[in-house]
Amino acid sequence: IFFVTFFYQEKKVKMKTGFSDVPNGSVYKSYIDNLNSLDIMGAKSGNRFDPKGKMTQGEFADVLLRAHGMHTFPDEFRENKKRMIAGIPHYQPKSLITRQMAAVMIQNLKHAAPGTNVKLIGKTDSWAVDAIAALVSQGIVDPDTKINSNQTVDFRSTQTLSRQEASALLDKA
């Protein structure tokens, strides 16, 4: 934990130039800039981030492991990846990732406290409910996900995850 914390703090100081396709007023800009400055998630091509572009399961897995500092230890990489995708049916690195898959991957590494007061509305597969509830209860959501006053939330679980949404979830996690 010390190494990851030290690594994160050391890298955080070196802010990079923003992306040409991420407007200054974007609610995702700070998350995108943070991950770019930490060399966790950068440009899709040139100086373009492609904020609304979709990610594959494999791309998200690689970025998540990098965000947790688990990519620097090759011997542990396979074990961490296996632990990260546990409980996800039909993991396919080249297929697009859904928001619920991303939540399960994050929760498998983060182990956020379970969210007992969160009630999910909308379609969510049973294998992802606990992970999403835990992340939502800890405030690990993208800016477009709103928690209602009665503690209900539509995580939009079965929708594909965009690069900007991924940046928010990863930065908050």
Side-chain angles (χ1 to χ4, degrees):
I1 293 177
F2 171 76
F3 174 77
V4 173
T5 304
F6 177 76
F7 176 78
Y8 185 80
Q9 290 173 344
E10 178 70 23
K11 291 265 190 182
K12 196 170 188 173
V13 230
K14 302 172 186 168
M15 294 303 286
K16 294 181 179 180
T17 305
F19 296 104
S20 62
D21 61 344
V22 178
N24 284 332
S26 169
V27 294
Y28 290 94
K29 183 169 178 41
S30 64
Y31 305 115
I32 292 167
D33 289 348
N34 286 346
L35 295 184
N36 183 40
S37 293
L38 294 169
D39 293 324
I40 292 171
M41 190 172 174
K44 190 71 173 174
S45 66
N47 189 32
R48 299 185 58 79
F49 183 75
D50 188 20
K52 295 189 179 181
K54 303 303 180 189
M55 297 183 79
T56 66
Q57 295 171 29
E59 286 172 324
F60 185 82
D62 290 345
V63 171
L64 179 58
L65 288 171
R66 210 168 23 257
H68 277 78
M70 296 177 171
H71 67 293
T72 57
F73 304 107
D75 296 340
E76 297 176 19
F77 181 81
R78 270 183 308 240
E79 278 305 308
N80 288 327
K81 192 165 189 174
K82 191 185 302 183
R83 184 171 49 129
M84 177 184 59
I85 63 173
I88 296 175
H90 313 296
Y91 173 79
Q92 298 172 342
K94 293 183 180 180
S95 295
L96 293 179
I97 189 164
T98 61
R99 294 170 54 82
Q100 65 186 357
M101 286 177 169
V104 170
M105 287 182 185
I106 291 169
Q107 178 62 3
N108 283 346
L109 296 181
K110 183 163 182 55
H111 303 292
T116 55
N117 295 331
V118 174
K119 180 175 175 11
L120 297 177
I121 56 176
K123 181 165 176 20
T124 298
D125 291 325
S126 59
W127 52 265
V129 169
D130 291 342
I132 293 169
L135 295 183
V136 168
S137 70
Q138 297 297 314
I140 302 171
V141 294
D142 61 284
D144 291 325
T145 300
K146 304 295 181 223
I147 302 171
N148 301 315
S149 59
N150 63 357
Q151 295 302 300
T152 61
V153 64
D154 183 359
F155 192 75
R156 304 176 325 278
S157 303
T158 58
Q159 292 180 9
T160 54
L161 183 74
S162 71
R163 289 175 49 81
Q164 67 184 4
E165 292 167 339
S167 67
L169 294 176
L170 292 167
D171 194 41
K172 287 185 169 189

